Amino acid sequence: MLRSRTILPRDLARGRLGLWARGAALVGLAAYVLHTAAGLGGAAAEPVFQTWVDLGLILGAGVACVLRGVSREDERWAWILMGTGILVWAAGGLVHQALEAASATVPIPSAADALWLTAYPLIYAALVLLVRSRLPGADRSLWLDGAIGALALAAVAATLALEPIMDATTGSFGVVATGLAYVGADLVLLVLVMTVFGLFRWRPAPEWRLMGTGLLVLVSVDWLYLLQTAKGTYVEGGVMDVMWPAGFILIAFAAWRPPGRREVVPVPGLLPAVVPTAATIIAVVLLAYDHHSRIETVAVVLASLTLIIASLRLFSAFVENQRLLASSRHEALTDALTGLGNRRLLMRDLARTLGTATPGDPVAIVLMDLNGFKGYNDAFGHPAGDQLLSRLGARLERAVAGEGTAYRL
């Protein structure tokens, strides 16, 4: 069915405004990249890019997500929460710059750290609401598949990144605790993103690919920043600084894409099975490697959880296959209209019982036909004829209950 829609002037204006906003974000991001990589604008432009361009891009991404939530009813609170989280992150950047301007050394932890860490729960909540809105039919097996892949990836990330970060992190309890808080928050975000990808059977819609890529960029740059800061090698104003606004801009672009499919679509091929299988193998390899050379306890726990959930997934698949086998077997031997045994079941039962029938234990076969049934269909219609057959089948089944079996040829 084709539906017409009247395009109002405000719709056109909103579309042009959104196009200009996306274009401005891309131009600003490209200029930022050229500044950090090729020295565009020179040293004199450093404060402009570090303050106005960097924070301006993040603020713009947050405002874009909030406007997406306010302007449409669908997924309203999800995008408002996502935008609020980005704006809180930008507020943390503003506080950090104010602390830098007031003192040469920014304390750890600081008010900026509190704001940055507050942004994470808001982003988590937004992701959960988006999943509930777009995948209402996600069953248990999809959640388990996503969790297997997510935990295995988190275990690998913890093995590769957590140990160097922790080894390099020194100082007071507050410094170490703040670093651990960021690592933990990013691990949770990583697990959530990969779980969402698993729910889409590892082929997410375009808007989810944009948002997931943006969040993974944020996780990567966070850990890279923590490692370089702990080692004292971080240089402000480098190419790495561009990754934060780039990640948030990808999320803002995802906010304004039309929503993709809102149901779980089966994916052909082996991909849905390959990823959980590979994740399980990775977990086994990590645990085996731990016996040779100790890895972080967090990585061991994550790898162990991967194997536990993989076992649950195997059990779930076994139960599901048994249920499907029983259902298909029932459908193969049952007439769909009357619920009686069909021709296939009749032939099977005949082969089983006629060979054992004796004069002392005979078997009777009674064939019945409905006279005038075609006239009944012609007079009252086929739906009425179907109902008549269903009633007759139920009565026949009751009549021979305990003495025989009724079938419909």
Side-chain angles (χ1 to χ4, degrees):
M1 180 184 295
L2 297 177
R3 296 181 179 179
S4 61
R5 178 177 180 270
T6 303
I7 300 177
L8 301 175
R10 65 173 179 271
D11 296 324
L12 294 174
R14 186 181 301 165
R16 286 194 296 267
L17 181 61
L19 185 62
W20 279 103
R22 289 192 292 271
L26 290 176
V27 169
L29 187 63
Y32 198 4
V33 172
L34 289 175
H35 169 73
T36 56
L40 177 67
E46 184 70 21
V48 174
F49 280 98
Q50 283 294 316
T51 303
W52 301 107
V53 176
D54 185 288
L55 291 176
L57 290 172
I58 298 176
L59 284 169
V63 170
C65 290
V66 171
L67 288 177
R68 162 62 177 83
V70 172
S71 62
R72 299 181 187 176
E73 292 185 2
D74 62 312
E75 302 171 350
R76 168 167 293 171
W77 286 108
W79 288 113
I80 289 177
L81 284 173
M82 180 68 77
T84 303
I86 298 174
L87 291 175
V88 170
W89 187 284
L94 286 170
V95 171
H96 188 269
Q97 290 201 0
L99 292 174
E100 276 188 328
S103 174
T105 303
V106 178
I108 298 177
S110 67
D113 294 308
L115 288 169
W116 284 329
L117 290 172
T118 302
Y120 284 96
L122 296 171
I123 295 174
Y124 300 159
L127 282 174
V128 172
L129 290 178
L130 286 171
V131 170
R132 290 181 58 185
S133 171
R134 300 195 183 191
L135 285 177
D139 57 21
R140 179 178 55 196
S141 64
L142 291 178
W143 283 102
L144 291 175
D145 285 345
I148 291 169
L151 289 172
L153 180 61
V156 173
T159 302
L160 298 177
L162 184 58
E163 185 174 359
I165 291 173
M166 295 309 301
D167 289 343
T169 301
T170 58
S172 65
F173 173 79
V175 173
V176 176
T178 302
L180 281 175
Y182 280 113
V183 171
D186 283 323
L187 270 177
V188 173
L189 186 57
L190 178 63
V191 169
L192 277 175
V193 172
M194 296 310 298
T195 301
V196 170
F197 279 26
L199 289 173
F200 281 104
R201 299 187 188 273
W202 310 106
R203 290 187 180 180
E207 68 274 12
W208 280 103
R209 288 199 294 268
L210 277 173
M211 181 163 50
T213 302
L215 292 172
L216 292 177
V217 166
L218 295 176
V219 171
S220 302
V221 70
D222 267 0
W223 281 8
L224 186 60
Y225 170 77
L226 288 172
L227 182 59
Q228 291 187 2
T229 302
K231 291 183 175 181
T233 59
Y234 171 70
V235 178
E236 190 173 5
V239 177
M240 193 179 74
D241 289 354
V242 184
M243 295 176 66
W244 277 292
F248 288 122
I249 286 173
L250 287 174
I251 297 171
F253 275 37
W256 285 95
R257 279 192 63 89
R261 58 179 181 266
R262 294 179 181 266
E263 60 181 352
V264 179
V265 179
V267 177
L270 297 176
L271 183 62
V274 167
V275 175
T277 302
T280 304
I281 294 173
I282 289 172
V284 172
V285 171
L286 287 176
L287 292 176
Y289 180 75
D290 179 60
H291 286 277
H292 172 70
S293 179
R294 291 295 180 183
I295 60 178
E296 281 292 329
T297 304
V298 174
V300 174
V301 172
L302 291 171
S304 301
L305 286 175
T306 302
L307 294 183
I308 292 173
I309 295 180
S311 300
L312 293 176
R313 179 67 176 92
L314 181 64
F315 177 76
S316 175
F318 177 80
V319 172
E320 186 177 356
N321 286 338
Q322 291 296 313
R323 180 179 58 80
L324 291 175
L325 179 62
S327 177
S328 62
R329 186 177 295 164
H330 175 76
E331 292 177 358
L333 300 176
T334 306
D335 174 61
L337 177 62
T338 62
L340 303 177
N342 61 10
R343 182 187 184 91
R344 185 180 292 109
L345 181 61
L346 172 63
M347 295 299 110
R348 191 190 73 175
D349 290 352
L350 283 177
R352 181 181 301 168
T353 56
L354 290 181
T356 60
T358 63
D361 186 18
V363 174
I365 303 174
V366 180
L367 300 178
M368 304 175 64
D369 188 28
L370 295 180
N371 291 329
F373 184 64
K374 181 180 183 304
Y376 186 90
N377 272 336
D378 293 342
F380 300 103
H382 286 278
D386 289 345
Q387 293 179 8
L388 175 62
L389 287 177
S390 296
R391 292 195 300 271
L392 289 175
R395 294 179 64 181
L396 181 60
E397 189 172 34
R398 289 195 299 269
V400 301
E403 301 293 336
T405 305
Y407 308 85
R408 181 190 178 198
L409 286 176

